[in-house]
Amino acid sequence: WFAWLASSLFNAMSMDRQKVLRAIRQSGCGLWFAADPLKADRELVLEAVRQNGKALSSAADPLKADREVVLEAVRQDGHALSYAADPLKADREVVLDAVRQNVEALQFAADPLRADREFVLE
């Protein structure tokens, strides 16, 4: 119910970049209700994932493959690794940062990293 209400209320401003930015700065969740062009705005997405790493789930696909954006997301919430593009799920630094934030993030790492005993013991 809350999601529906929030979506309805936010719909009127979802194309207004400044309003979306203000909403993102309050919780990071504002990106979830932003219009698609704003989900491709790197500055907005960076701000959102710094507030709430799971906001990466709403980012445009090219930003899910942007190493800096994904690093910011996983440093805030390790589970954000689940939304990253596959090549970044195989990136040692990205995965290590995610696991340092939340050990459960290892489940989202690429198979070769999960199978790498040396990596897992880091």
Side-chain angles (χ1 to χ4, degrees):
W1 182 84
F2 174 75
W4 172 83
L5 177 61
S7 178
S8 297
L9 293 173
F10 200 78
N11 206 22
M13 63 175 141
S14 65
M15 282 297 295
D16 184 321
R17 188 179 189 284
Q18 290 307 313
K19 288 181 181 178
V20 170
L21 183 57
R22 280 195 299 275
I24 286 170
R25 286 183 174 153
Q26 288 180 358
S27 74
C29 298
L31 189 64
W32 295 335
F33 305 110
D36 287 343
L38 295 179
K39 292 177 181 182
D41 182 314
R42 190 170 189 275
E43 179 186 349
L44 286 179
V45 172
L46 273 169
E47 186 71 29
V49 300
R50 286 178 181 134
Q51 297 292 322
N52 183 336
K54 289 183 179 147
L56 185 62
S57 67
S58 296
D61 287 343
L63 293 176
K64 292 177 183 180
D66 181 311
R67 191 169 190 274
E68 181 184 356
V69 170
V70 172
L71 277 169
E72 290 289 341
V74 301
R75 287 173 179 158
Q76 200 285 325
D77 185 332
H79 280 178
L81 184 62
S82 67
Y83 307 114
D86 287 343
L88 293 176
K89 291 178 181 181
D91 181 306
R92 293 179 80 87
E93 181 184 0
V94 171
V95 174
L96 193 55
D97 279 2
V99 171
R100 283 182 180 143
Q101 199 287 322
N102 186 327
V103 71
E104 293 178 2
L106 186 59
Q107 68 185 311
F108 305 116
D111 290 340
L113 279 183
R114 286 198 324 250
D116 182 339
R117 180 174 162 75
E118 184 179 311
F119 176 78
V120 172
L121 293 176
E122 275 185 53

